[in-house]
Amino acid sequence: MKLTVQANGICIGCLSLDALSGLYAFDYSVEWLAKEQRFPLSPVLPLVRQSLSAEQHSAHVRQFFQNLLPEGQALDDAAQANKVSKSNLIGLLVALGRETAGALEISLDDSQALSTPLAAKRLLTREELSQRIRSRPDLAFSVWDGKVRLSIAGYQDKIALLEENGLWFLVDGGSLASTHLLKPDPIRSGLQHMTSNEFACMRLARAVGVAAADIRLEHIPDPVLLIRRFDRRITTEGIDRLHCIDGCQALGLGVSMKYERPYGDGRDVQHIRDGASLPKLFALFDRVSAQPTADRLALLRWTIFQTLIGNTDAHGKNLSFFIDAGGIRLAPAYDLLCCLIYSGDQISDTLSMAIGDNFDVLSLTPYDWALMAVECGLNARLVSRELKQMANKILKIWPELKVHLATANADDVTLKAIEATLNQQCQHALSIADNIPKVSKELL
């Protein structure tokens, strides 16, 4: 079984599965290797295959392409709609691969395809969208017109759409591509107004200097988020797709390893920390970044911001990287949430990636930050300075920003809950920041 992997009309390579051995392989095309601006899909899928065993290569390939698929209920819905097992990677890529995160378009190669899908664009009215949002308990939100409209990883309900002249379209095939992701509030009652939460945190990030995706909140009348895709670029000739991978793809980890403690927080397994982590991500920049100093600083600010807004779900798949011929660089932030306002049974209050050895965002100490600095190759004074500056910026900017968020009809109760968390986290950060460089190196 072979699939063609291309980007913007250029064949990058071939993904294959040997039915007898069960092994995957990916081979770059001669056309791609001949290009002056060629680049690998991921640091773990180099242009020249390393001296790995067939089994090791297969594992890297499978993990990379599995990370393109949705998760949770959306994966179940995709499998059911296409009548394939949710463990059937090739089958799901055939069904979902024409609109993935990043630049890649995946399809059957010409020798296997019975026909070439025609480009299609159909209007999605706000009335139809509102009805479908309310019908989610009985009808999968990711399936429209008998087709799955989602190949973006994550658990939240979302669809990809094209926005033109204020109108929204579902698109298929050809040169058509989505420009935005649309998210409604979750169905679970305890997570209502998450759209206001994410809207506020994303706007706050941009206001304090953390690069984040462009986002807006609309009511149709149901609240929905419109997130502009940073992996799409609108040109006079159409829409270019930009190659972009998530943290797990960059580190060569499977989707199940997106948390640093991939087996959970239980007593018997909490010491196993094989998943995505800050030391691994910072080390990645040392190896393959196009601008390591700038990227390391940007990642530090991303990390600090997560702790100050109380985002305990900032895991390895919640940050992404652009890749081109120059190397890898950090992409804008997304999925920023104040998770602490849902503490309890709704969302875990344990950090997805530790600060030092501490997974409790409410009890971070100078030692935790100093240990993180050592593990990630950062200067403790830099960490101290950035923590103070970010906390002060948030406290200064939030009151005026809150007014603008309310003008956009963000939920008032949610904004007040976020404000309480910001005040708590920022004041605590300011109380400990000066002591970070004072932690004895002998203790670290």
Side-chain angles (χ1 to χ4, degrees), residues 103-156:
L104 303 185
E105 298 175 76
I106 304 167
S107 60
L108 287 167
D109 67 12
D110 293 339
S111 64
Q112 295 172 296
L114 296 177
S115 62
T116 301
L118 298 175
K121 180 173 77 172
R122 79 100 155 159
L123 179 67
L124 174 60
T125 66
R126 282 156 172 74
E127 292 76 17
E128 180 186 8
L129 178 59
S130 177
Q131 183 179 356
R132 282 298 305 273
I133 288 173
R134 299 177 191 190
S135 300
R136 284 180 295 165
D138 305 307
L139 192 61
F141 187 66
S142 58
V143 180
W144 295 69
D145 309 323
K147 299 177 182 179
V148 174
R149 302 288 180 172
L150 169 77
S151 57
I152 309 296
Y155 278 99
Q156 285 180 262

Side-chain angles (χ1 to χ4, degrees), residues 152 159-168 177-183 198-199 202-203 206 212-218 225-235 239-240 242 244 322 331-335:
I152 309 296
I159 56 172
L161 53 81
L162 169 67
E163 184 174 63
E164 286 183 343
N165 301 319
L167 300 176
W168 299 335
S178 64
T179 57
H180 290 72
L181 299 180
L182 182 145
K183 293 183 182 180
E198 185 172 349
F199 177 59
M202 293 282 284
R203 284 291 179 89
R206 291 166 69 95
D214 186 20
I215 192 170
R216 71 181 194 268
L217 177 66
E218 292 202 12
L225 287 177
L226 270 297
I227 304 115
R228 183 180 294 278
R229 296 188 63 162
F230 52 73
D231 57 350
R232 299 288 184 266
R233 182 173 55 206
I234 300 175
T235 69
I239 299 172
D240 281 346
L242 306 179
C244 189
F322 292 118
Y334 54 94
D335 285 354

Side-chain angles (χ1 to χ4, degrees), residues 383-398:
V383 174
S384 172
R385 185 192 72 201
E386 292 294 330
L387 184 60
K388 283 195 296 184
Q389 287 183 351
M390 183 78 71
N392 280 319
K393 278 184 182 179
I394 289 175
L395 292 175
K396 180 180 180 180
I397 288 172
W398 174 257

